[in-house]
Amino acid sequence: MPVPFSADDTARLHETLREVVADGASPGGVVVAGSTDGHQHVMAAGVVAPECGPQSPTAHALYDIASLTKVVATWPLVGRSVRDGLIDLDAPVRDSLPVMSGEAPSGEATVRQLIAHTSGLRASTRLDHYRGADLPLHELLCREPLEDTPGTHRYINRGYILLGLALTHLHRRPLDRIAADMWDELGMHSTFYGPVTRTPDVAPTEQRLPGAPRTWGTAHDDNAALMGGVAGHAGVFSTPADLATYAQALLSADGTHPLGDWLASSLVPQAAIEPGLDRGLSWILAHGGSVAYHHGFTGTSLYLAPSTGRYLVICTNAVYNGPARTRLAPLRALALKTISST
C-alpha cells in the first residue's frame, strides 16, 4: 500500500525550501511530494526570477532540468530500445552507432557501462575542442582512449552523449522527436528539449559573463548547447507537474508494464559510489536500493521510493546565484531522509 507523506513531512520540506531560498540558494523553487494513491502536495517559495515578476513559481513553471535529462529522456528510451530488441545492454555501444572502421577504444564500452557510469571513458568533455574536425561526433568520441579500467564508478557525461547519438541512429529520428513522442504518451505535455520561448514562467539560469545576457530558455550545459540543445545528458526543460506525472507513471507501472520492468531491473546495484550509495542503471540507489534518485546541476532533483509509492520532485534554478550543489544541500538531504522513512 502507498504511504502518503504526513503533514509534518510536507511542513518540514516547505520550511526548508523557504529557508534555502531566503539564504540565497535560488530565486525560488517548487517541491512536489506525492504518492501513487493520488495524494500530492505542491510547495513553492520565492519567485521564478527577479526579472520574471513578483509571482511565486507554480507547478507549471518551466525549468532547465539539466542532468535529469539522463533519467527523464535517455534512460527510458534505452529501456524501450532494449525491450524492442534494438539495443543489447551488454554489447559495445559501437554496435548501435554508424559503422566505424579501425580502432575505437571508447566504442567498446557496453551500453550497460555507459548508463551505469562504469565505462572508463574520459570524464572531462569539451565538445568545443572538436570544432572543425572532419569526423562525426560519435566517431571522435569513440576513437578516444579510455581513461580508467571499466567497472569503476565515475560520473561521465560523454557516455550519455553517445547513448543519445545511438538512439538517434537506431530510430532514424532526432532524439528530441523520439523523446517527445514518449512524453506525449506519458501525459507530459510540458516537457521538451529547448530552446524554449522566454516567458515569465521559464526560469533563467546563469549569467556567464558580467554584462552579458543571462542564459534563459536555452540549455545551461555548454556541451548540450553546442549540440543545438538536444543531447543525451542534458538539454531538457520540464515542469514540476510533469516530473510528478512521470514519477507517478514509473511507480504505478507493475512488472508486466515495460516501464515497471525496466525500473525494477535498473534498481539493481551496478557499482558502489560511496558507502551507502550505489549506482543502478542511471539512478543513484540509497537505503539498500529502496530509494532511487538523480540530481540536475541547475538545481533539480527527482526521488522515487517504489516500496512506499512515494516520490519527490525538486525544481529550482539555483545556478542563477552560482553553483547549486552546496547551496541546496539542506533541502536535498531532507528530501532523501523524508522519502526514505516509512
Side-chain angles (χ1 to χ4, degrees), residues 84-97:
D84 295 340
L86 296 175
I87 286 180
D88 179 345
L89 277 177
D90 296 306
V93 69
R94 68 179 298 167
D95 292 357
S96 299
L97 291 162

Side-chain angles (χ1 to χ4, degrees), residues 130-179:
Y130 303 127
R131 283 185 174 133
D134 294 330
L135 295 174
L137 180 58
H138 75 275
E139 194 157 351
L140 291 167
L141 293 173
C142 286
R143 288 189 180 280
E144 291 186 346
L146 296 179
E147 193 167 73
D148 292 314
T149 302
T152 301
H153 181 270
R154 191 176 185 187
Y155 189 80
I156 299 173
N157 278 329
R158 70 174 55 215
Y160 279 74
I161 294 174
L162 278 172
L163 289 171
L165 295 172
L167 289 165
T168 295
H169 174 67
L170 291 170
H171 290 270
R172 302 294 193 269
R173 297 178 66 209
L175 180 62
D176 57 336
R177 297 314 313 154
I178 310 167

Side-chain angles (χ1 to χ4, degrees), residues 39 41 50 62 70 112 129 134 143-144 146-147 188 192 206 208 234 240 243 255 264 267 272 279 282 291 309 318:
H39 286 86
H41 193 85
L62 196 62
K70 294 179 175 72
R112 182 187 301 275
H129 290 172
D134 294 330
R143 288 189 180 280
E144 291 186 346
L146 296 179
E147 193 167 73
M188 300 167 64
F192 15 70
E206 192 173 6
R208 299 296 179 85
L243 292 176
L267 302 191
R279 179 73 66 177
S282 211
V291 174

Side-chain angles (χ1 to χ4, degrees), residues 282-315:
S282 211
W283 299 89
I284 300 171
L285 310 180
H287 296 276
S290 64
V291 174
Y293 67 96
H294 207 289
H295 298 315
F297 184 81
T298 48
T300 57
S301 298
L302 177 60
Y303 301 80
L304 306 174
S307 62
T308 56
R310 290 173 159 187
Y311 62 86
L312 277 171
V313 174
I314 297 174
C315 283

Side-chain angles (χ1 to χ4, degrees), residues 48-49 52 61-64 199-205 215-217 237 316-317 320:
V48 175
C52 295
L62 196 62
Y63 290 87
D64 178 341
T199 73
D201 287 325
V202 175
T205 54
T215 302
W216 189 2
F237 288 75
T316 78
N317 50 330
Y320 188 99

